[in-house]
Amino acid sequence: MVKGRREWTTIRVPRELKDRIDFLRRKLGKVTWEVILDSITLYESFIKRPSVRQTLPTIDKVSWYITKLATSFGAFKEVPNEENYQYVVKRVEEIKNRLGVDADLLLRVCEYYKSIKDEDLRRKVRVDLNTAFKQTVKDIITTTLFELMSKE
């Protein structure tokens, strides 16, 4: 190879792969060889760092519990009855037992919200309810990230 010049070659790939590379090339604003190089580099780092592979199931598990909590919480917020409250309680217990995150504040705010009969007051407390929910999700994420970082 002459200094400063690249030696180019051609590789044969299935049409579907070429189409995917072209899609990424246009989307990322890169040339074909850069897309391929980025993909290979990412793959190599994934293979060399098994901790990355191990964190994916953890992230999947955490996102599942957040989704379950959000679904139960949304149903409770819309219809704050005992049945929906019990679903939130069940999700909070699962999160506490399986992820080690305490969400008792969310339960206390939900319990208070459920007891309110005045719609104006309920509307005002809804802000606190949403804040407690967001705090619980943040606690789940930060606890999980801290555990993952301490394993490395």
Side-chain angles (χ1 to χ4, degrees):
M1 183 161 109
V2 179
K3 187 172 181 154
R5 291 187 51 149
R6 286 198 164 89
E7 184 179 333
W8 297 96
T9 184
T10 303
I11 59 172
R12 292 174 46 104
V13 296
R15 168 60 57 197
E16 299 82 21
L17 178 57
K18 174 76 168 94
D19 292 344
R20 287 179 68 186
I21 293 170
D22 287 342
F23 172 77
L24 287 172
R25 179 181 55 79
R26 285 189 301 275
K27 182 177 178 182
L28 300 173
K30 295 184 174 192
V31 293
T32 302
W33 68 267
E34 289 175 320
V35 172
I36 295 170
L37 180 63
D38 289 349
S39 299
I40 291 170
T41 303
L42 179 65
Y43 177 75
E44 285 176 337
S45 68
F46 188 77
I47 295 299
K48 289 178 184 175
R49 294 193 60 209
S51 63
V52 173
R53 278 196 318 266
Q54 292 169 352
T55 59
L56 290 178
T58 303
I59 292 169
D60 188 53
K61 179 174 80 169
V62 167
S63 63
W64 172 246
Y65 284 112
I66 290 172
T67 301
K68 288 173 70 174
L69 179 63
T71 302
S72 297
F73 175 77
F76 173 76
K77 198 165 79 166
E78 288 297 314
V79 182
N81 59 22
E82 184 62 28
E83 180 182 10
N84 287 338
Y85 174 73
Q86 288 305 318
Y87 284 124
V88 174
V89 169
K90 185 175 180 183
R91 298 292 89 80
V92 166
E93 287 174 359
E94 285 177 348
I95 288 167
K96 189 174 192 175
N97 294 334
R98 297 178 186 168
L99 302 178
V101 175
D102 185 14
D104 288 340
L105 173 65
L106 178 61
L107 288 181
R108 287 194 305 270
V109 176
C110 284
E111 197 167 327
Y112 177 63
Y113 185 77
K114 180 179 69 160
S115 70
I116 298 172
K117 302 300 180 211
D118 179 33
E119 194 55 42
D120 288 333
L121 180 58
R122 183 174 278 169
R123 226 182 336 268
K124 291 175 185 173
V125 173
R126 195 171 288 148
V127 173
D128 297 328
L129 187 66
N130 289 334
T131 301
F133 173 75
K134 288 188 296 186
Q135 184 60 48
T136 301
V137 171
K138 287 189 280 187
D139 289 347
I140 292 169
I141 292 169
T142 54
T143 299
T144 304
L145 288 176
F146 180 74
E147 287 175 9
L148 290 173
M149 290 172 62
S150 65
K151 288 180 183 177
E152 288 189 6

